[in-house]
Amino acid sequence: SSVFDAHSSAVCLAIGLGTASVFHAMRVLETGLSAHGAVFNVSLAHTNWEPALREIESKIREMHKDPTWKSLPNYKAKQEQYSQAASHFAVLKDAWRNYTMHKRGQHGEDEAEMIFLNVRGFMQKLAALGLKE
């Protein structure tokens, strides 16, 4: 479901529209955050990233109390991976998402390319976890 924004981010980057590229990259991330939240029954439908991230992080910390999670042979590894993903979302939110989406940031071509590659790598990592929306 992030194909449109991933493509738009790449096109904007290619034609020198750095801020527009980052805007679309942040929308790609929102798709990833939604998929991450779905694992823990946390919806982004009517909330901002911050409350959703807090709820996801809380549920990750409490995984050891859930018999369904504990029954998985690799639940500790999953907990670590989900925790890393949640932390990464928090960093991306504070570093780029808030500034771009609320018109406080402008991004040149070099910075936009770095953000694009970072988002691509992170989304590939989420896909490797099996997260899909």
Side-chain angles (χ1 to χ4, degrees):
S1 63
S2 63
V3 172
F4 170 80
D5 283 301
H7 181 261
S8 296
S9 181
V11 168
C12 289
L13 185 62
I15 62 173
L17 299 173
T19 301
S21 175
V22 173
F23 172 84
H24 286 288
M26 296 302 104
R27 287 173 46 121
V28 169
L29 282 176
E30 191 157 327
T31 301
L33 181 57
S34 181
H36 192 238
V39 171
F40 300 99
N41 296 315
V42 175
S43 173
L44 267 74
H46 301 290
T47 189
N48 292 320
W49 282 31
E50 186 64 31
L53 280 169
R54 279 197 307 265
E55 188 175 352
I56 291 167
E57 289 168 347
S58 173
K59 290 189 177 195
I60 291 169
R61 282 191 300 276
E62 301 297 317
M63 282 173 72
H64 68 282
K65 295 179 181 178
D66 184 335
T68 304
W69 282 109
K70 283 190 77 164
S71 69
L72 299 175
N74 62 345
Y75 105 88
K76 285 273 192 196
K78 286 282 190 195
Q79 185 178 33
E80 180 181 356
Q81 293 167 331
Y82 291 135
S83 181
Q84 289 171 358
S87 294
H88 201 110
F89 274 117
V91 168
L92 294 171
K93 176 187 79 65
D94 291 342
W96 302 315
R97 191 258 179 208
N98 291 353
Y99 293 99
T100 302
M101 301 305 272
H102 299 293
K103 293 180 58 173
R104 293 189 299 258
Q106 293 183 349
H107 306 282
E109 289 180 55
D110 290 341
E111 183 182 26
E113 181 178 12
M114 185 266 309
I115 292 168
F116 177 86
L117 294 172
N118 189 296
V119 168
R120 183 183 72 179
F122 182 60
M123 292 298 287
Q124 288 170 335
K125 199 167 194 162
L126 291 180
L129 283 174
L131 300 182
K132 308 177 220 181
E133 187 177 66

